[in-house]
Amino acid sequence: AWKSPTRSRSDMSTASGTRTFKVSVEGNIASGKSTFLDYFNLSPDVEVRTEPVEKWRNLHGHNMLALLYKDPTRWALSLQTYVQLTMLQMHTKPHERPITIMERSIFSARHCFVENLYHSGKMPTPEYIVLDEWYQWLVANTDVHVDLIVYLRTRPEVCLARMYERDRKEENKVPLAYLNGLHELHENWLVRQVTVKPPAPVLVLDANSNMSDMEHVMEEYREKIMGRS
Ligand code: TTP
């Protein structure tokens, strides 16, 4: 499980030559990705790469996330272009430890968020095509591979409650319909697998429960998530 024959040596090694394993954690807004990452952050073999959301909230003083939610039709292309860049940076950063666990990926930004904005009429077709051309080129010409996808599957109503509870000010008007749209796109991509093929095997975890139940789930799948079984 550590090695893919199609990858060059540098892609699958740390500076010390150890084999690497790369995981992306996917799921709806407020599905519990940060909690999941905090748990694995305690392991000395794992490097956790958190999502660059702080960059999206402060791009040279501009809060792109707030702009998106305030006026999606005007700002979706700008935000998603920047998200795509920061995701690419996250994918291509050299490995520091044998196992890398990343919060999301360039894949979910494209197949869930961009797709949702487009299909809900918030992104005009020409802008969608420009983003997609960039995406297709990047996937074909850079190393954005992942070895495993962990999907934190959560009911949209649960995400909505968690989102309001954490109270990120940009998200205070996000309606359930938006989470429903994103949920269906995650399901189509990672569970039903009826849209595009996921780029790696998918481990689906039920993330509806409270924290202590989640800890048991993470404990149970720990070795698999770290590419060891
Ligand atoms: P999430 O990636 O869902 O991160 P989160 O902090 O909600 O995760 P969790 O609670 O599970 O730890 O989204 C962060 C914000 O960025 C959210 O408001 C959705 C938005 N976003 C976009 O608008 N476009 C994108 O492509 C991505 C990836 C996120």
Side-chain angles (χ1 to χ4, degrees):
W2 288 94
K3 184 175 171 183
S4 159
T6 56
R7 256 170 252 142
S8 74
R9 223 185 127 62
S10 60
D11 293 338
M12 59 181 201
S13 305
T14 59
S16 61
T18 323
R19 294 260 162 68
T20 55
F21 191 74
K22 201 180 259 182
V23 182
S24 84
V25 181
E26 310 287 359
N28 210 338
I29 300 173
S31 55
K33 296 180 290 295
S34 311
T35 311
F36 181 95
L37 292 165
D38 286 347
Y39 173 87
F40 284 95
N41 215 358
L42 299 172
S43 168
D45 285 350
V46 176
E47 180 199 346
V48 162
R49 294 186 186 165
T50 50
E51 190 177 51
V53 63
E54 287 317 312
K55 291 188 180 174
W56 313 338
R57 298 174 91 182
N58 182 5
L59 174 61
H60 298 228
H62 299 277
N63 188 334
M64 303 303 292
L65 195 62
L67 290 172
L68 171 85
Y69 285 127
K70 210 168 125 205
D71 188 354
T73 313
R74 168 67 184 82
W75 292 106
L77 176 67
S78 309
L79 173 81
Q80 293 304 146
T81 302
Y82 189 50
V83 167
Q84 190 152 268
L85 171 65
T86 57
M87 289 296 180
L88 179 67
Q89 290 167 335
M90 184 165 75
H91 277 275
T92 54
K93 204 171 148 237
H95 290 276
E96 283 167 10
R97 299 188 187 176
I99 302 155
T100 304
I101 307 187
M102 306 190 309
E103 184 171 10
R104 289 201 182 282
S105 61
I106 197 166
F107 307 109
S108 52
R110 167 65 186 84
H111 299 306
C112 301
F113 283 87
V114 173
E115 207 61 17
N116 192 40
L117 288 162
Y118 176 58
H119 285 289
S120 59
K122 296 185 181 78
M123 184 181 284
T125 307
E127 296 185 353
Y128 173 73
I129 294 172
V130 169
L131 262 179
D132 188 55
E133 289 281 318
W134 265 110
Y135 171 81
Q136 299 297 344
W137 191 91
L138 291 170
V139 169
N141 293 284
T142 64
D143 179 13
V144 290
H145 85 273
V146 293
D147 298 294
L148 177 71
I149 292 179
V150 176
Y151 173 35
L152 301 183
R153 192 183 201 190
T154 316
R155 279 184 283 110
E157 292 78 6
V158 172
C159 293
L160 189 75
R162 288 179 187 164
M163 199 176 71
Y164 286 159
E165 198 176 314
R166 84 167 165 217
D167 200 23
R168 198 181 267 156
K169 74 175 185 321
E170 294 86 349
E171 294 170 343
N172 63 7
K173 290 202 175 69
V174 174
L176 182 60
Y178 195 75
L179 300 182
N180 280 336
L182 285 170
H183 177 72
E184 283 308 306
L185 287 162
H186 278 87
E187 294 283 305
N188 283 344
W189 177 43
L190 298 175
V191 178
R192 299 180 198 117
Q193 304 199 359
V194 290
T195 47
V196 285
K197 198 170 168 311
V202 181
L203 174 65
V204 182
L205 301 182
D206 182 341
N208 287 298
S209 319
N210 59 31
M211 255 321 290
S212 62
D213 286 352
M214 266 316 282
E215 260 178 34
H216 288 124
V217 173
M218 292 186 283
E219 200 54 59
E220 185 182 343
Y221 288 98
R222 189 184 162 81
E223 292 303 298
K224 191 175 171 70
I225 291 164
M226 301 197 359
R228 290 174 177 161
S229 68

